[in-house]
Every structure is written in structure tokens, then in C-alpha cells.
Amino acid sequence: MSTSQNSPSTAVSPIEWEAYEYDHFERSSDWFWAIGVIAFFGIIIALLFKNFLFAIIIFLSAYLIVTIARREPELVEFSIDDRGIRAKHELYPYQHILSFWVHEEPLRNKLMIKSDRFFLPYIIIPLGEANPGRIRDHLAKILPEVKHEESLIDLVSEHLGF
């Protein structure tokens, strides 16, 4: 891949938008009870097998799931300019982005970028009310557009409301 493909040739006015970092779903008290019951029985089974480390992991996992489920999503500012893609305070320079894909859904559009990072190379950015066509047109001048599929973990966590 040539460097000219990964660096913008002309300065273009930035595209800016705001979106919540994830869709928040109100959970009933039954949902929290279910997490507690599942964790309780998981810990009991782990202790019966004398697997104390696994019991601690189950407890911590349940605690984190409940904590994250109760947290309200943050309204984040996003932008695309001549340096790269910015999400909150994190800049993803074009030199480190291999490709992009604008995933359009009726209720939730997303920008998926593949970076050159070894760990977690795919970054999913919610588009909120931003125009997906404008973002696609802007990025297509700079980066290759390659269809990216969401990972199983992303799909499951989205289905569970995280």
C-alpha cells in the first residue's frame, strides 16, 4: 500500500458529529437478579471443583457486568479531518488505518475502521445523526473501502446491550 493512498492530498473541511458511545437499554430488576443467580451458582460449582481462581473470576465478571449495565453512555464528539479520525480524545491517523467500511442499518449507522494495531485492530465508531454517504465519500478519497463484518463478540455484546 503506498503512502500516497493513506495520506490526504488536500485539506478538506472536517466532518464533525456527536453520538452516544453505545445504545443504552434499561434493564429490569429481574435482569440483575438473573446475573446474580447465574454468578452465584457458577461460584458454587467452581468452589465444589476447588477452582478458587475461577470462582474469583466469575465474581469479578458479574460485578463488572452489573457496573457497566448501570452506567449511562457518554455523548462523544467525533471528527474526520486531514490528519485522521478522532474519537473523543483519541486520534487514529490515516497512516495507521488500513481500510474502512460504513455499515448502514435502519436505526444505527457505524463506521468500522481496520487499523494496523495487533490487539483489537477493528474500531467501531457510531455515526449518530452524521451523514453516512458524506463520510464514505470523504474517506474513499483517502483510504480503501473494504467490507468489514462485526466480530461475534461485537454482535453478542450489542445484542446484550453493551
Side-chain angles (χ1 to χ4, degrees):
M1 186 176 302
S2 68
T3 28
S4 63
Q5 185 176 4
N6 275 355
S7 60
S9 55
T10 59
V12 181
S13 62
I15 301 172
E16 298 175 342
W17 72 95
E18 290 182 333
Y20 285 101
E21 57 187 339
Y22 58 87
D23 293 331
H24 182 71
F25 300 102
E26 288 297 322
R27 291 168 177 84
S28 68
S29 60
D30 292 342
W31 188 89
F32 291 101
W33 275 105
I35 295 295
V37 168
I38 291 168
F40 176 76
F41 284 112
I43 291 169
I44 295 297
I45 291 170
L47 292 175
L48 287 174
F49 284 102
K50 296 182 180 164
N51 195 338
F52 303 109
L53 181 60
F54 190 52
I56 292 170
I57 290 172
I58 292 172
F59 174 79
L60 291 175
S61 298
Y63 175 78
L64 288 174
I65 287 171
V66 169
T67 302
I68 291 170
R70 296 182 69 181
R71 186 177 146 256
E72 293 287 326
E74 183 180 346
L75 187 62
V76 178
E77 294 179 7
F78 299 95
S79 66
I80 300 173
D81 59 23
D82 57 347
R83 296 184 314 146
I85 301 170
R86 182 176 300 279
K88 200 173 182 180
H89 303 295
E90 183 78 24
L91 175 67
Y92 301 101
Y94 292 122
Q95 305 88 287
H96 298 290
I97 299 174
L98 303 175
S99 60
F100 80 97
W101 179 254
V102 176
H103 186 78
E104 295 186 58
E105 292 179 349
L107 298 175
R108 188 160 194 236
N109 297 323
K110 302 173 219 172
L111 170 62
M112 301 175 71
I113 56 176
K114 182 178 181 183
S115 69
D116 61 1
R117 299 187 314 189
F118 177 73
F119 187 69
L120 299 173
Y122 290 96
I123 301 154
I124 300 174
I125 298 174
L127 293 181
E129 298 295 320
N131 182 335
R134 183 173 176 221
I135 290 172
R136 178 182 290 114
D137 292 343
H138 180 84
L139 290 176
K141 297 173 188 170
I142 303 164
L143 299 166
E145 183 175 3
V146 177
K147 185 172 184 175
H148 302 300
E149 298 294 333
E150 290 185 82
S151 70
L152 181 61
I153 292 173
D154 291 330
L155 294 172
V156 169
S157 63
E158 186 174 312
H159 181 71
L160 293 175
F162 292 104

